[in-house]
Amino acid sequence: MIRFLLLAVILFIVLPVYSQAPLFTAQDTLRGSITAERAWWDLNYYDLNIEVNPDEKSISGSNTIRYKVLSESQVIQIDLQSPLVITKITQDGYDLIFNSIGNAHWVTLLKPQKIGEYNELIVSYSGHPKEADNAPWDGGFSWSTDSNGNPFVATSCQGLGASIWWPNKDHMYDEVDSMAISVTVPKNLMNVSNGRLREIEEGPNSITYHWFVTNPINNYGVNVNIADYVYFGETYEGENGKLSMDYYVLRENLVKAEKQFKQAGLMMEAFEYWFGPYPFYEDGYKLVEVPYLGMEHQSSVTYGNKFQNGYRGTDLSGSGWGLKFDFIIIHESGHEWFANNITNIDIADMWIHESFTAYSENLYLDYYFGTEASAAYVIGTRKRIRNDRPIIGVYGVNYEGSPDMYYKGANMLHTLRQLLEDDEKWRQILRGLNKEFYHQTVTTQQIENYLSEQTKIDLTAFFNQYLRTTKIPVLEFRLKDNKIRFRYTNIVKDFDMPVRIKVNDQEKWLFPEAEWKSENLPAKGTTQVLVDENFYILVKNLSK
């Protein structure tokens, strides 16, 4: 059933508030751009080996970085944020000289780097990493305890950067092909990280967990989770065969988790339907309890929603449908397709992660409760849109766009679905995205071009409107003598999105542009004109 709005009423008005981007520093550029010291080498493999001491809130260890030489150079940029310090860097057994400016460290290599060859260097480091102030938004290490007083520790670092806790090439454009993660913890604890557990190595007072990630992984998706965990799991029969789904929770929460985590299998079924096969069968899927709300760490999704439906028990949409699912299980797992499979090259394009994943929430509802339920949910989230600044951020300085990338972005995609009038075609486009850009880092232009090509609609102005401005199109109209005059205002150049209306229960499409148009209405004695609520526009009746 299509939901409609009386044209005479303005559904939702948000006045744009333009915020100025902050002044950027040299550190912002070093963090957010593909510098010359990054561009000449391609990541191949990480071997991260660390010891975590919860009592002292400290870490120490090393990261072996294997890379392929793309062009000649002898200076390489490695990133590690204070207060952690690099103790030494070696290559082929020799200590290397490095110079540091803030969090960027330039390492002078001893030998010329030959194009096409693979080389390694080992970065050793230690210290007390930044403690998360408000994880996962202001990330770092979260140091907590469970109800029995055991350490309960986790990392989160999206935006802030993985170099907040381990040395690496900290830019989204270059994902490592595979990775080993070895974490040593006190003997009474367990570490859970990405990928599959290969080995457990016991020492007199400590225990080391060796994990391995087979697939490419973005830096911020790497995580460490330490607690007195208990395990349970299941096998999911998916599109690509058997998928292990493993769950790690605190002992005190096992019974609640066994009930709540049944939604993980429901999520997998819905998202494989809409988006295609889970992208990381080789590494499995995990849900891991942590002391903060949750995060989309690849194949190691973290969970802290207190085993309740909604977002911390509330419905973000106000429609009632948001209480039909556990927000963290559904949203953070949706990122396995949009963020971990398809990853933005620059954080300015983080809408690729968040718009599609926020949209996945109502697609989950669509799969289990129908189109009307999913529409009510996504439309309900519009009240959370601020229109404070554009969804796309500033390139080259590690600066993301407005948080409107979540629900304004979701409503943008929901609107695009209406333009197709073919839900199966829309589903195949979403699946095609994950196939076309499988395990890739992408730009917004690649995604925009793909959607234009597959929908066979020139979406240039559409994306300019919703991604690059804070303007919401306003459909102005006048009714007189069984005619409707209409146009768009508050639009970018060439914006001409059609919109579906209903006149006395008869559907009709309007094709508004910036200039006034006039059409006869299909019903005589028109008493009511409605516009489909599924289109994210504002409406203004000039008849009165």
Side-chain angles (χ1 to χ4, degrees):
M1 177 175 143
I2 299 175
R3 298 167 58 88
F4 286 88
L5 167 73
L6 186 63
L7 267 176
V9 179
I10 297 179
L11 169 67
F12 180 70
I13 298 178
V14 179
L15 297 178
V17 178
Y18 296 93
S19 321
Q20 192 170 12
L23 296 175
F24 298 109
T25 67
Q27 280 296 303
D28 294 322
T29 300
L30 290 174
R31 169 76 175 85
S33 64
I34 304 174
T35 63
E37 292 77 19
R38 284 173 169 158
W40 65 267
W41 56 288
D42 178 55
L43 273 173
N44 173 249
Y45 175 70
Y46 284 136
D47 185 353
L48 179 63
N49 193 323
I50 64 172
E51 181 172 0
V52 179
N53 187 326
D55 290 338
E56 296 182 359
K57 296 184 178 180
S58 67
I59 59 176
S60 62
S62 66
N63 186 26
T64 300
I65 304 172
R66 183 189 303 156
Y67 58 91
K68 181 179 181 180
V69 180
L70 303 179
S71 60
E72 294 183 359
S73 182
Q74 281 187 245
V75 179
I76 191 169
Q77 179 179 338
I78 302 297
D79 304 288
L80 182 68
Q81 299 181 39
S82 64
L84 293 173
V85 295
I86 295 175
T87 53
K88 67 175 179 177
I89 302 176
T90 63
Q91 187 168 60
D92 298 330
Y94 294 96
D95 289 351
L96 302 179
I97 296 172
F98 60 94
N99 297 309
S100 304
I101 297 183
N103 301 321
H105 311 275
W106 286 281
V107 186
T108 302
L109 305 175
L110 295 180
K111 64 179 183 180
Q113 306 291 290
K114 296 181 180 179
I115 295 174
E117 71 180 5
Y118 289 85
N119 290 320
E120 291 184 354
L121 55 81
I122 302 172
V123 183
S124 301
Y125 74 111
S126 63
H128 298 271
K130 178 186 179 298
E131 191 165 348
D133 293 324
N134 183 29
W137 299 278
D138 187 0
F141 258 82
S142 295
W143 308 95
S144 185
T145 56
D146 65 18
S147 62
N148 295 315
N150 296 307
F152 188 22
V153 180
T155 58
S156 57
C157 55
Q158 185 180 20
L160 184 63
S163 57
I164 198 67
W165 67 274
W166 59 286
N168 58 80
K169 186 181 192 177
D170 206 357
H171 193 285
M172 300 290 289
Y173 88 99
D174 191 5
E175 291 188 347
V176 72
D177 297 332
S178 60
M179 180 172 184
I181 307 167
S182 300
V183 182
T184 301
V185 297
K187 201 162 189 176
N188 63 320
L189 301 175
M190 178 186 296
N191 170 72
V192 181
S193 289
N194 315 79
R196 295 194 181 278
L197 184 61
R198 282 189 162 181
E199 182 185 359
I200 300 174
E201 183 181 355
E202 294 194 34
N205 301 306
S206 64
I207 186 167
T208 303
Y209 291 84
H210 298 277
W211 297 84
F212 191 83
V213 183
T214 300
N215 293 289
I217 185 169
N218 60 62
N219 282 355
Y220 84 82
V222 177
N223 69 348
V224 164
N225 307 289
I226 300 165
D228 179 26
Y229 285 122
V230 292
Y231 163 83
F232 66 103
E234 60 183 316
T235 299
Y236 178 77
E237 296 289 345
E239 288 195 19
N240 281 355
K242 295 182 184 296
L243 172 64
S244 63
M245 300 185 69
D246 301 321
Y247 311 119
Y248 296 85
V249 298
L250 298 182
R251 291 181 185 278
E252 61 211 61
N253 293 325
L254 177 59
V255 174
K256 290 184 286 187
E258 287 177 330
K259 178 181 178 181
Q260 192 73 0
F261 284 9
K262 289 178 181 178
Q263 291 189 40
L266 297 175
M267 170 279 302
M268 195 63 67
E269 180 180 335
F271 287 171
E272 286 209 329
Y273 172 83
W274 281 109
F275 303 141
Y278 175 71
F280 308 108
Y281 269 74
E282 301 86 351
D283 292 323
Y285 169 89
K286 291 189 290 294
L287 268 181
V288 188
E289 187 179 359
V290 291
Y292 61 87
L293 185 60
M295 193 70 201
E296 69 259 27
H297 304 105
Q298 183 173 311
S299 72
S300 182
V301 176
T302 50
Y303 176 88
N305 202 37
K306 306 300 182 185
F307 307 97
Q308 58 189 332
N309 281 359
Y311 178 91
R312 291 174 166 164
T314 64
D315 175 11
L316 293 176
S317 74
S319 68
W321 292 107
L323 295 177
K324 297 294 185 182
F325 62 93
D326 188 313
F327 178 92
I328 292 300
I329 293 176
I330 304 309
H331 179 91
E332 302 304 344
S333 298
H335 276 304
E336 293 282 52
W337 286 264
F338 294 99
N340 298 336
N341 184 40
I342 304 173
T343 307
N344 55 236
I345 285 176
D346 191 299
I347 200 172
D349 288 334
M350 203 165 88
W351 77 273
I352 298 169
H353 296 196
E354 300 300 351
S355 297
F356 282 98
T357 304
Y359 182 58
S360 76
E361 297 160 26
N362 69 291
L363 290 182
Y364 176 87
L365 287 169
D366 193 299
Y367 187 82
Y368 288 107
F369 300 98
T371 302
E372 187 177 356
S374 68
Y377 178 82
V378 72
I379 291 168
T381 63
R382 290 177 189 171
K383 64 180 178 291
R384 298 187 173 274
I385 298 171
R386 293 187 280 184
N387 280 306
D388 57 343
R389 53 193 171 93
I391 288 176
I392 290 181
V394 181
Y395 293 100
V397 287
N398 197 50
Y399 187 75
E400 65 191 51
S402 167
D404 283 348
M405 69 180 79
Y406 290 83
Y407 293 119
K408 184 178 178 182
N411 274 279
M412 174 189 72
L413 294 171
H414 183 66
T415 299
L416 181 53
R417 176 182 182 178
Q418 313 312 311
L419 299 180
L420 286 181
E421 294 189 283
D422 186 338
D423 284 350
E424 178 57 25
K425 182 177 181 179
W426 180 234
R427 182 172 81 96
Q428 294 304 327
I429 288 172
L430 294 174
R431 291 172 64 92
L433 268 171
N434 280 279
K435 184 177 181 180
E436 177 74 15
F437 301 109
Y438 181 73
H439 291 179
Q440 291 184 36
T441 58
V442 300
T443 65
T444 189
Q445 207 58 56
Q446 287 176 278
I447 300 301
E448 290 180 40
N449 290 346
Y450 182 86
L451 290 172
S452 287
E453 291 166 5
Q454 296 302 312
T455 60
K456 295 180 170 52
I457 302 171
D458 184 352
L459 295 171
T460 304
F462 177 86
F463 286 122
N464 285 342
Q465 180 80 36
Y466 288 108
L467 293 178
R468 297 177 175 87
T469 78
T470 58
K471 298 177 179 181
I472 303 304
V474 178
L475 178 64
E476 294 184 343
F477 77 99
R478 287 190 177 93
L479 290 173
K480 186 177 180 180
D481 299 329
N482 218 49
K483 287 187 177 182
I484 183 169
R485 294 192 72 223
F486 56 93
R487 70 173 181 179
Y488 275 133
T489 60
N490 204 39
I491 56 174
V492 300
K493 185 178 182 295
D494 297 327
F495 184 86
D496 60 355
M497 180 180 75
V499 62
R500 189 167 48 222
I501 68 170
K502 185 179 281 188
V503 182
N504 289 0
D505 294 326
Q506 295 183 42
E507 282 190 13
K508 175 180 174 60
W509 281 88
L510 294 180
F511 295 85
E513 298 177 358
E515 302 301 321
W516 284 103
K517 289 184 174 183
S518 179
E519 289 190 19
N520 292 324
L521 293 176
K524 292 184 178 181
T526 299
T527 58
Q528 191 178 58
V529 176
L530 304 166
V531 62
D532 191 339
E533 279 188 281
N534 291 294
F535 291 77
Y536 182 39
I537 61 173
L538 306 179
V539 179
K540 191 172 184 180
N541 184 354
L542 301 178
S543 304
K544 298 181 179 181

